Amino acid sequence: MKPVKRGGGWAAIWYTLRMARRVGWRQLWNAMRAKNTCKTCALGMGGQAGGMRNEAGHWPEVCKKSFQAMVADMQHGLRPEFFARFSIEELKALSPRELEWCGRLTAPLYAGPKDRHYRVIDWEQALDRIVRQLRESLPDQMFFYASGRSSNEAGFLLQLFARLYGTNFVNNCSYYCHQSSGVGLTDALGSGTATVTLDDVEGADLFFLIGGNPASNHPRLMRTLMNIRRRDGHVIVVNPVKEVGLVNFSVPSDLWSLLFGSKIASLYVQPHIGGDIALLTGLAKAILAREAQDRAFIEQATEGFDAFAEHVRATSWEAIEKNSGVARATIEEMANYYVAARNVIFGWTMGITHHEHGVANVHAIVNTALLRGMVGKPRAGLLPIRGHSNVQGVGSMGVAPNLKQAIFDNLEKVLGIRLPTAPGLDTMGCIRAAADGKVRAAFCLGGNLFGSNPDARFAERALGNLDFIAYLNTTLNTSHAWGRARETLILPVLARDEEPQKTTQESMFNFVRLSDGGPARLSGPRSEVAIIAEVARRYFDSRRISEALDLDWTKLQDHCAIRDLIARIIPGFEAIRDLDQNGKEFQIGGRTFHQPRFNTPNGKARFHVTALPPLCGEPNQLRLMTVRSEGQFNTVVYEEEDIYRGQERRDVILLNPEDIRRLGLKVDQRVRVTSAAGEMSNILVRPFDIKQGNALMYYPEANVLVPAVVDPRSKTPAFKSVLVTVS
Ligand SMILES: Nc1nc2c(c(=O)[nH]1)N[C@H]1C(S)=C(S)[C@@H](COP(=O)(O)OP(=O)(O)OC[C@H]3O[C@@H](n4cnc5c(=O)[nH]c(N)nc54)[C@H](O)[C@@H]3O)O[C@H]1N2
Ligand SMILES: Nc1nc2c(c(=O)[nH]1)N[C@H]1C(S)=C(S)[C@@H](COP(=O)(O)OP(=O)(O)OC[C@H]3O[C@@H](n4cnc5c(=O)[nH]c(N)nc54)[C@H](O)[C@@H]3O)O[C@H]1N2
Ligand SMILES: [Mo]
């Protein structure tokens, strides 16, 4: 299969038309137009401005992914006969794509230790089964996981319930995603999210895009990058892989761009996997040598500069070049761009966070920005480009093992309750505790806990060691086949645009959106809030949550009542109380930095010394990254092909042609790929423009190979840095 010449464009439009044929034009159009936040990435389209509009009000803002996700939700419902016909073993034989396209879940499903098939049970039995588990377990034998698609309302309720139940074993998929960004940014600025708004990005004259592939994963950021180039600004891409869409992209809603394409990267830098710290240290070294640092800003608004500068000066160019794989001349060229720019944004994604040194990677980016005073003023700053459409909101709501002190205090004060104080557990921590038999049961609000885990065989064993697991999902996924406990329950939920009540979401720019919801497409699935509130009501036997507020779990079926609590408890969310009345979507206070004063105790931003991580691996080994293709959303595979990388299938390993030659391999030869965690056979060798010594395979399948090793600070697995041999 030939790769496309540029990203986006007609291919995206054709695909959309094909999707529309599948479910009906009018239906799809109406669904896309409804006032609901887009379901896919966290760029924050839709909401009250109407579907397909971004935070700057631009229309039409759509991408293939939003159509894919919508069409998947518009599928037919799965009939009970399906589960009588197909055994769990047979579900295991289905690919992630086949599972997704089986149809929407419509009825609660149950499988016990001896069952070979899931069977349909009624809601009464299902809810009672969960409550029985809660009664039989001790609070520290239960954990709660949430993905990032659920609403703020559902997230808030889930963590409140978990804490009143008595546990801090509460976490969300950000532990496998941007946690390193949250930790690294908080270290440096006292705040863990983007420091900028979309407007700021639109006004920048240089954008560093590090370790991300937005052409595929955040397509609507591409218009913004195109606009920067059109204003004579620049985009510097840092990525071991030459991603075609980052070189040239056709923004489908822009006629000129559609016809002729838009150049994206002004400079494309290809470091080794894990070479970013060395590269950015080199960039800082070049800036310091030119004395181009912003002295006034450093003096007035930062601390830790001297130790940082000393470390940078002491690091040799030789070490920098070797470790990053980038020549000094290229780094000097980056410095030329950086020194010439006035307003610079640093955006990054999983190429930065999915490492054992993920937090240090984020420190290195912040250092680079501080060096030239590019944080704490308009049109410049730091932008972790988030994944799931509401992953940031779910975190803000406290679906996290360690509550921020202010939230903890507010919860106790406002509700008049005592919260558990035993330490919480991150996602990998919970999986390990399951493997060790320390936790006995789990409750998963969305997501695919098995499929997203490193070391798939270990994850299967760990989850299999649980007595009970409940999954709340819209469609079937690999967790339901491979991530089963002795007893497994699957509950069908409504998608965001089918909710009977309004819900809210938070974008990666800290902007809170309101979604109207809409009519249910199928009878059967229930609202996430309704399920959590009902489980809690039954478990607590209708006891009141708070005497002070005269509040019980039945009242918390009402999303307005939940938003009222959020407004009282979560700092910065005061305006959420009246959101459904006045429709005023809002920017969360205290997170955007347009002044050089930060949320650290003394108001200063901190430099961090970042040692170069060793570039590991023997000569016969390759460093492997596991990434997304163009046709998937996380563990949900919509299409087998990856048109951007020119791959018609997913069981491939992409290698630099020089490595193929050096290792004595041939293109399209079948090989075995082995790592410390496992092996995959019958993988096809494919040549690709990837930095020599590095390799690429597709997630989630390649999770068999990823060891369960995490960054000690953020607990995020090193999904992008797996040593493998090919034979
Ligand atoms: N269509 C679609 N959209 C999505 C998703 C999806 O699956 N599909 N997932 C959503 C989610 S949850 C997330 S988190 C985001 C993910 O968005 P991305 O982070 O863009 O996704 P990945 O495919 O993991 O790609 C990471 C990129 O990092 C590069 N990379 C790998 N290792 C390194 C390294 O060491 N250094 C540098 N500089 N680069 C490196 C890879 O070459 C690749 O281009 O997208 C969100 N949006
Ligand atoms: N090897 C490797 N592993 C990785 C990554 C990687 O790059 N490489 N990336 C990591 C990252 S960044 C992330 S974020 C995680 C993803 O981890 P998760 O968020 O746990 O997984 P998803 O695949 O996004 O979850 C998909 C499921 O969500 C359900 N769903 C969809 N919409 C809704 C809804 O509205 N409500 C509910 N309740 N359910 C819904 C569907 O049933 C679908 O099967 O994976 C991580 N794992
Ligand atoms: Mo993610």
Side-chain angles (χ1 to χ4, degrees):
M1 180 177 169
K2 262 193 151 160
V4 292
K5 285 203 209 76
R6 51 182 184 245
W10 293 109
I13 293 179
W14 275 126
Y15 184 85
T16 305
L17 297 180
R18 255 183 24 232
M19 286 287 114
R21 260 215 327 258
R22 201 141 148 184
V23 292
W25 292 83
R26 185 189 299 256
Q27 278 88 335
L28 185 60
W29 178 248
N30 287 341
M32 294 303 296
R33 234 174 31 145
K35 291 182 177 179
N36 288 299
T37 313
C38 175
K39 294 169 183 175
T40 50
C41 77
L43 232 73
M45 303 297 145
Q48 291 307 289
M52 305 186 268
R53 207 175 277 277
N54 73 9
E55 290 178 25
H58 188 274
W59 188 93
E61 289 284 325
V62 279
C63 76
K64 208 177 133 174
K65 303 310 131 160
S66 36
F67 283 106
Q68 264 167 351
M70 189 59 87
V71 169
D73 282 346
M74 293 169 82
Q75 289 182 76
H76 61 91
L78 268 166
R79 291 166 191 273
E81 301 90 87
F82 177 90
F83 296 98
R85 163 99 206 278
F86 294 101
S87 68
I88 294 166
E89 280 310 309
E90 285 168 309
L91 294 184
K92 283 186 177 176
L94 298 183
S95 69
R97 188 180 69 87
E98 289 164 330
L99 287 166
E100 170 70 13
W101 291 118
C102 279
R104 282 283 298 272
L105 293 162
T106 53
L109 299 167
Y110 171 87
K114 298 211 173 74
D115 288 334
R116 292 177 46 231
H117 291 252
Y118 276 108
R119 59 190 149 86
V120 171
I121 59 173
D122 63 34
W123 277 97
E124 277 302 303
Q125 289 173 300
L127 295 169
D128 280 342
R129 180 64 196 85
I130 298 177
V131 172
R132 180 153 61 81
Q133 189 63 43
L134 291 160
R135 296 226 160 97
E136 284 170 3
S137 308
L138 297 168
D140 64 356
Q141 292 176 328
M142 183 90 199
F143 75 89
F144 296 80
Y145 170 79
S147 171
R149 278 252 186 130
S150 300
S151 61
N152 289 332
E153 289 75 6
F156 183 85
L157 209 60
L158 180 75
Q159 66 86 21
L160 179 64
F161 172 61
R163 295 203 151 91
L164 288 173
Y165 176 63
T167 183
N168 281 321
F169 294 178
V170 184
N171 51 64
N172 73 68
C173 64
S174 103
Y175 275 99
Y176 288 173
C177 186
H178 259 298
Q179 190 68 15
S180 309
S181 306
V183 173
L185 285 170
T186 304
D187 288 343
L189 307 176
S191 174
T193 62
T195 69
V196 292
T197 63
L198 180 58
D199 266 347
D200 289 320
V201 187
E202 292 284 351
D205 59 1
L206 176 61
F207 192 107
F208 277 94
L209 176 63
I210 312 179
N213 183 20
S216 187
N217 299 321
H218 301 87
R220 280 157 300 180
L221 191 65
M222 300 310 289
R223 162 188 291 281
T224 305
L225 299 180
M226 173 189 78
N227 287 343
I228 292 177
R229 291 300 310 270
R230 282 187 180 171
R231 288 196 315 271
D232 292 329
H234 291 286
V235 175
I236 297 182
V237 176
V238 178
N239 197 317
V241 172
K242 190 67 88 53
E243 304 281 17
V244 63
L246 304 183
V247 178
N248 208 322
F249 195 84
S250 272
V251 176
S253 58
D254 183 287
L255 191 61
W256 182 269
S257 175
L258 179 63
L259 293 176
F260 303 108
S262 301
K263 283 209 160 41
I264 301 298
S266 312
L267 180 66
Y268 206 117
V269 182
Q270 289 180 271
H272 284 304
I273 291 176
D276 300 271
I277 292 182
L279 178 69
L280 294 171
T281 304
L283 182 56
K285 197 174 171 76
I287 301 287
L288 289 176
R290 300 172 193 203
E291 304 212 2
Q293 68 270 33
D294 183 340
R295 285 171 198 278
F297 173 84
I298 291 170
E299 179 67 25
Q300 181 213 340
T302 71
E303 60 187 15
F305 173 73
D306 291 342
F308 165 73
E310 196 181 317
H311 166 74
V312 170
R313 291 200 180 98
T315 309
S316 71
W317 276 111
E318 197 194 347
I320 289 168
E321 287 191 318
K322 180 157 183 285
N323 196 287
S324 67
V326 180
R328 178 173 176 182
T330 307
I331 300 177
E332 297 283 358
E333 206 183 335
M334 287 172 82
N336 294 345
Y337 281 104
Y338 192 18
V339 168
R342 274 165 309 156
N343 299 304
V344 184
I345 305 265
F346 292 80
W348 67 91
T349 358
M350 298 301 107
I352 285 299
T353 62
H354 282 168
H355 291 283
E356 275 181 78
H357 56 270
V359 172
N361 265 341
V362 174
H363 287 163
I365 293 177
V366 181
N367 290 341
T368 313
L370 293 179
L371 196 55
R372 289 198 33 80
M374 291 299 168
V375 202
K377 66 176 190 181
R379 298 185 292 282
L382 300 161
L383 177 65
I385 304 169
R386 301 269 167 189
H388 272 299
S389 53
N390 196 39
V391 62
Q392 207 173 289
V394 165
S396 292
M397 292 302 112
V399 185
N402 309 304
L403 280 179
K404 294 208 170 87
Q405 195 60 42
I407 301 180
F408 183 94
D409 294 345
N410 289 349
L411 273 169
E412 290 205 332
K413 205 167 70 213
V414 171
L415 294 172
I417 53 174
R418 303 294 297 165
L419 294 177
T421 50
L425 258 190
D426 57 280
T427 309
M428 195 65 227
C430 288
I431 298 291
R432 286 198 191 290
D436 296 344
K438 290 186 184 132
V439 299
R440 312 258 18 119
F443 184 96
C444 300
L445 179 64
N448 178 353
L449 187 54
F450 165 80
S452 60
N453 251 276
D455 200 342
R457 294 289 74 84
F458 171 66
E460 182 187 1
R461 262 183 283 128
L463 295 169
N465 204 24
L466 293 172
D467 291 334
F468 176 77
I469 192 160
Y471 289 114
L472 279 62
N473 285 104
T474 51
T475 48
L476 279 176
N477 65 40
T478 49
S479 278
H480 308 137
W482 297 91
R484 282 184 315 121
R486 276 184 271 286
E487 290 178 86
T488 304
L489 188 64
I490 306 173
L491 299 181
V493 299
L494 296 169
R496 176 176 303 165
D497 56 343
E498 301 163 346
E499 286 274 353
Q501 303 181 61
K502 294 180 181 179
T503 61
T504 60
Q505 290 78 28
E506 175 187 333
S507 81
M508 67 192 201
F509 297 107
N510 304 301
F511 191 74
V512 178
R513 289 279 205 197
L514 181 67
S515 292
D516 280 354
R521 298 193 172 91
L522 301 158
S523 70
R526 289 194 181 176
S527 147
E528 297 174 339
V529 164
I531 296 170
I532 299 165
E534 181 56 16
V535 166
R537 189 191 66 77
R538 289 177 188 219
Y539 174 77
F540 287 111
D541 245 345
S542 302
R543 244 180 306 144
R544 261 187 298 198
I545 303 168
S546 157
E547 298 292 330
L549 288 187
D550 183 26
L551 196 64
D552 63 25
W553 289 102
T554 311
K555 285 189 182 149
L556 286 186
Q557 298 266 3
D558 177 3
H559 292 195
C560 293
I562 302 174
R563 282 193 290 272
D564 182 66
L565 272 190
I566 295 172
R568 291 167 193 245
I569 287 164
I570 313 286
F573 277 77
E574 296 74 15
I576 207 170
R577 178 181 292 121
D578 302 319
L579 183 53
D580 65 328
Q581 295 299 317
N582 61 21
K584 280 196 191 137
E585 297 175 326
F586 62 93
Q587 196 74 35
I588 300 162
R591 295 191 185 173
T592 309
F593 298 106
H594 284 160
Q595 298 297 325
R597 257 204 83 73
F598 304 99
N599 290 356
T600 49
N602 63 3
K604 293 193 174 191
R606 295 192 192 108
F607 280 95
H608 287 85
V609 171
T610 49
L612 310 198
L615 186 70
C616 36
E618 305 293 318
N620 66 335
Q621 286 179 314
L622 296 157
R623 278 172 302 276
L624 172 77
M625 60 166 81
T626 58
V627 299
R628 294 151 173 79
S629 81
E630 205 273 330
Q632 72 184 90
F633 196 94
N634 292 348
T635 69
V636 179
V637 178
Y638 295 108
E639 313 295 333
E640 295 293 322
E641 76 226 20
D642 186 356
I643 53 170
Y644 287 1
R645 299 195 185 100
Q647 304 300 318
E648 78 293 358
R649 52 198 298 158
R650 297 174 58 84
D651 53 351
V652 294
I653 182 166
L654 308 191
L655 299 174
N656 183 293
E658 188 47 41
D659 285 325
I660 297 183
R661 196 195 55 76
R662 182 175 62 92
L663 297 170
L665 303 169
K666 288 199 181 61
V667 172
D668 277 337
Q669 179 184 351
R670 293 197 173 269
V671 292
R672 183 187 311 135
V673 183
T674 315
S675 74
E679 62 172 53
M680 289 174 84
S681 306
N682 271 325
I683 299 296
L684 286 173
V685 172
R686 293 279 165 90
F688 205 73
D689 189 347
I690 179 172
K691 178 82 186 170
Q692 225 181 307
N694 303 277
L696 178 155
M697 289 178 78
Y698 291 119
Y699 144 69
E701 293 87 336
N703 262 331
V704 175
L705 298 172
V706 181
V709 179
V710 298
D711 177 347
R713 289 289 315 285
S714 65
K715 315 289 183 194
T716 303
F719 290 121
K720 299 285 185 274
S721 194
V722 182
L723 285 179
V724 295
T725 51
V726 175
S727 55

